[in-house]
Amino acid sequence: MSLRLGDIAPDFTAETTQGTIGFHEWLGDSWGVLFSHPKDFTPVCTTELGRVAHLAAEFDRRGVKVIGLSVDPVGSHGAWSQDIAETQGAAVEFPLIADPDRTVSDLYDMIHPNADDTLTVRSVFVIGPDKKVKLTLTYPASTGRNFDEVLRVIDSLQLTAKYKVATPADWVQGQDVIIGAAVSDEEAAELFPDGWTTVKPYLRVLPQPGT
Ligand code: BEZ
């Protein structure tokens, strides 16, 4: 069965471009992003890994460790990383898991046989410091992911882990947020003494807390 939000992200030990990693130990108390790409030395994957390499400081700033994966061997990942640096202008400094026996791919249900029975799809798992899955995304091989969106969701996840709020459609850092539906007006008055705007009884808006 596929992983669901709130499940514990399965632990594993795997060979990577940065040596053998025990996943939970490597994560420590950090947030994590585990993402798969179908195949090394392919065009869309090259642009994706380059984009994540460019965003390294953004993941870092949010306390998020990033790790990639494909079914290719570690030597292939190393050689391809040089191409990525050359063509995309950023070095891949995060580890890439080599999963030729598909142990991790199977654990995370990253191979969708009706799409391709040997290669992983483009999966993304955001994992919280409690090791629970907070977000899953699945894209086909033909569509490169938007990693700014992954960062945007992480901003929302980190904010909503700290305050009893939710974030509206297309929200980005600094914009107004919504008081969670489970929060009564009485509790909201204690949590947000500066008040909020009631657009409808179920739609209560306030400036992003903590800014
Ligand atoms: C790509 O990255 O372009 C790609 C990888 C595997 C299958 C199809 C496309």
Side-chain angles (χ1 to χ4, degrees), residues 37-48 80 116 119-120 122 141-143:
H37 63 272
K39 196 164 178 48
D40 294 359
F41 296 103
T42 54
V44 176
C45 299
T46 300
T47 63
E48 285 194 323
W80 181 43
D116 189 306
L119 306 178
T120 57
R122 300 187 192 279
S142 51
T143 305

Side-chain angles (χ1 to χ4, degrees), residues 11 31 62 86 89 96 102-103 105 113 120-121 124 132 136-137 139 160 163:
D11 196 15
W31 287 74
R62 291 163 173 82
E86 178 191 325
L96 294 177
R102 306 188 202 175
T103 303
S105 307
T120 57
V121 291
V124 181
K132 289 185 179 170
T136 64
L137 287 174
Y139 278 48
T160 59
Y163 301 100

